[in-house]
Amino acid sequence: MSALETATDAPPPSLSALFTGFLKIGLMGFGGVGPVARHIIVAERNWLDDRGYAELMGICQALPGANTVNAAVMLGDRFRGTMGALTCVFALMAMPLLSLVAIANIYDAVSDHPLAQVALTGAAASAAGLILGTALRLLTKAGLARWAWVMAAAAFLAIGVLRLPMLPTLLVLVPLGLAAASLGARRV
């Protein structure tokens, strides 16, 4: 199955299905939408399988902007063209924007209280856990080839351990990954 193919032979989702799916992602994505987006796109709506989702997120990571917004644009365009892309992005951003404005007003009222700082620390720890859980799920369910594991390890080492800047790291790893994929495809 190539990148961004649907997980089934079902017809592409309608605009209303894309709207409700990405509205739900936006509504449930407190602390990071990555885990929720994967669950809805792969498990609940069956728009992509785990491998397709991992490939989509790989592309979205390399593009400027937020990964899930990039995914909304790419999936919406893939299934319903420009209208699909606009629908997905609007649905993804609408409720978080309204919620953020309300929460910012509440935070302004209570920001000096020590419990507010404790709550922020807990929220940051939860967000880190969600990101780690999503990364582990993608790695274990994406059915990666041996060379892809090497590329994932190299990216983790370069960015996570050595703290190298992301863009130069990607400029090195993406061509290496493409070459490894090309060699792997020839052997099959």
Side-chain angles (χ1 to χ4, degrees):
M1 180 177 282
S2 66
L4 302 185
E5 286 187 13
T6 56
T8 67
D9 292 331
S14 65
L15 280 176
S16 63
L18 290 171
F19 180 82
T20 57
F22 276 93
L23 186 70
K24 189 173 181 180
I25 292 169
L27 277 170
M28 296 177 66
F30 282 92
V33 295
V36 174
R38 186 222 155 263
H39 174 76
I40 291 173
I41 291 169
V42 174
E44 183 182 297
R45 305 288 173 122
N46 206 24
W47 291 338
L48 297 174
D49 61 13
D50 276 307
R51 185 180 181 93
Y53 185 75
E55 291 171 353
L56 172 71
M57 294 314 292
I59 294 168
C60 292
Q61 290 274 350
L63 296 173
N67 297 336
T68 309
V69 174
N70 293 341
V73 170
M74 291 180 73
L75 278 181
D77 183 61
R78 164 103 171 124
F79 292 131
R80 295 288 167 188
T82 302
M83 235 7 242
L86 292 172
T87 298
C88 290
V89 170
F90 178 76
L92 180 67
M93 302 302 290
M95 293 310 292
L97 182 61
L98 292 173
S99 299
L100 183 61
V101 169
I103 290 170
N105 284 320
I106 293 169
Y107 181 73
D108 277 347
V110 300
S111 62
D112 292 334
H113 197 281
L115 285 178
Q117 297 305 315
V118 171
L120 286 177
T121 301
S126 298
L130 287 170
I131 292 168
L132 184 60
T134 299
L136 291 174
R137 188 169 294 138
L138 283 175
L139 282 173
T140 58
K141 292 191 173 187
L144 300 177
R146 190 173 301 149
W147 65 265
W149 282 100
V150 172
M151 296 307 299
F156 176 76
L157 180 67
I159 297 171
V161 177
L162 299 176
R163 307 270 183 213
L164 297 175
M166 183 182 288
L167 185 58
T169 302
L170 288 175
L171 290 175
V172 171
L173 291 179
V174 167
L176 289 175
L178 291 172
S182 181
L183 288 173
R186 288 183 189 164
R187 290 184 182 168
V188 175

